[in-house]
Amino acid sequence: MLSEASEAIVADADVEQVICRHLAEGVQADAAVCFVPGADGGRVLGGHPDRTIASVLAQSLDDADFASASQAPLQVRAVGLGHVLVVAPPLLELAEDGTERRALAFSRADGFDEAGVLLLHEAIPPLTALMPHAIAVTERREKARAGRDAAREFGLTGRELEVLELLAQGLLATSIASRLSLSPRTVHKHLGNIYDKLGVHDRLVAVSLARGRGLVAA
């Protein structure tokens, strides 16, 4: 798990899904979910064997004591899902920056053996080390997805996004042209299109709006 999770972190891939799948296979769970606890099941980040079943599992744990699951697996019984084991690795920075707690839950109709419980107990320290990196990757992926959605909403082309990103970095049209191997006239044309699509009239407002909507890095 550690090797594949580390590779996923480097690649900005779905780390939490990797963690969820590996641990589910390790304890031979019927279903598993990695999620942010909250009302109505919170927010599902990864699931096994699929997200639909994972969502049902998360919703069954609305009243679970996730703080108790930070040091040892919490065993509960969810109606219709059999026995459930929950782990919620502690996040040391939780109180400082408002990072949302992550939890993992695993269900098995006929219960878990001692080896399965022990595996999850021993997984808590590496999960505690991995989870901040997984959270950072998830946040980057979500920001990138929001940026792509915003780009589609405004009808920006790939080249216009490149120009906008360099504009946000403080480059002038001549420098943008040099960086992208374009003529200054072409860059000014792209800038005009960008301003029209964003509904603005100057670079400061364009950059501010672009950062707010995730079109460029803040």
Side-chain angles (χ1 to χ4, degrees), residues 26-37:
V27 299
Q28 298 181 323
D30 298 326
V33 62
C34 179
F35 65 114
V36 177

Side-chain angles (χ1 to χ4, degrees), residues 27-31 57 60-61 74-86 105-113 117:
V27 299
Q28 298 181 323
D30 298 326
L57 176 55
S60 72
L61 299 170
L74 174 67
Q75 301 191 53
V76 299
R77 183 172 181 83
V79 176
L81 294 171
H83 296 270
V84 177
L85 289 175
V86 181
F106 308 86
S107 68
R108 184 175 168 86
D110 54 359
F112 295 92
D113 58 20
V117 177

Side-chain angles (χ1 to χ4, degrees), residues 173-185:
T174 52
S175 298
I176 295 173
S178 177
R179 183 75 65 88
L180 298 178
S181 298
L182 300 172
S183 70
R185 180 178 179 180

Side-chain angles (χ1 to χ4, degrees), residues 34-207:
C34 179
F35 65 114
V36 177
D40 297 322
R43 181 162 56 98
V44 173
L45 303 169
H48 177 83
D50 59 60
R51 292 180 73 90
T52 300
I53 296 175
S55 295
V56 173
L57 176 55
Q59 289 169 6
S60 72
L61 299 170
D62 279 348
D63 58 350
D65 181 6
F66 294 102
S68 298
S70 64
Q71 302 300 324
L74 174 67
Q75 301 191 53
V76 299
R77 183 172 181 83
V79 176
L81 294 171
H83 296 270
V84 177
L85 289 175
V86 181
V87 292
L91 295 174
L92 300 180
E93 70 276 21
L94 189 65
E96 297 178 8
D97 66 5
T99 301
E100 298 171 309
R101 180 185 298 280
R102 262 55 169 177
L104 294 109
F106 308 86
S107 68
R108 184 175 168 86
D110 54 359
F112 295 92
D113 58 20
E114 185 177 342
V117 177
L118 180 60
L119 185 151
L120 288 183
H121 189 279
E122 293 180 341
I124 291 177
L127 284 174
T128 301
L130 273 175
M131 203 54 74
H133 301 287
I135 290 170
V137 169
T138 297
E139 290 176 347
R140 287 196 297 270
R141 286 163 56 88
E142 290 178 347
K143 286 180 180 178
R145 186 180 301 113
R148 291 193 297 270
D149 291 343
R152 284 194 294 270
E153 176 187 343
F154 288 111
L156 295 171
T157 66
R159 178 62 86 184
E160 288 165 354
L161 282 173
E162 290 179 326
V163 171
L164 186 55
E165 179 65 48
L166 294 175
L167 190 72
Q169 293 175 22
L171 274 65
L172 299 176
T174 52
S175 298
I176 295 173
S178 177
R179 183 75 65 88
L180 298 178
S181 298
L182 300 172
S183 70
R185 180 178 179 180
T186 299
V187 170
H188 281 294
K189 182 177 180 181
H190 283 312
L191 289 173
N193 290 337
I194 291 168
Y195 295 163
D196 286 343
K197 291 178 179 181
L198 297 182
V200 301
H201 301 287
D202 64 71
R203 63 180 295 150
L204 292 178
V205 179
V207 169

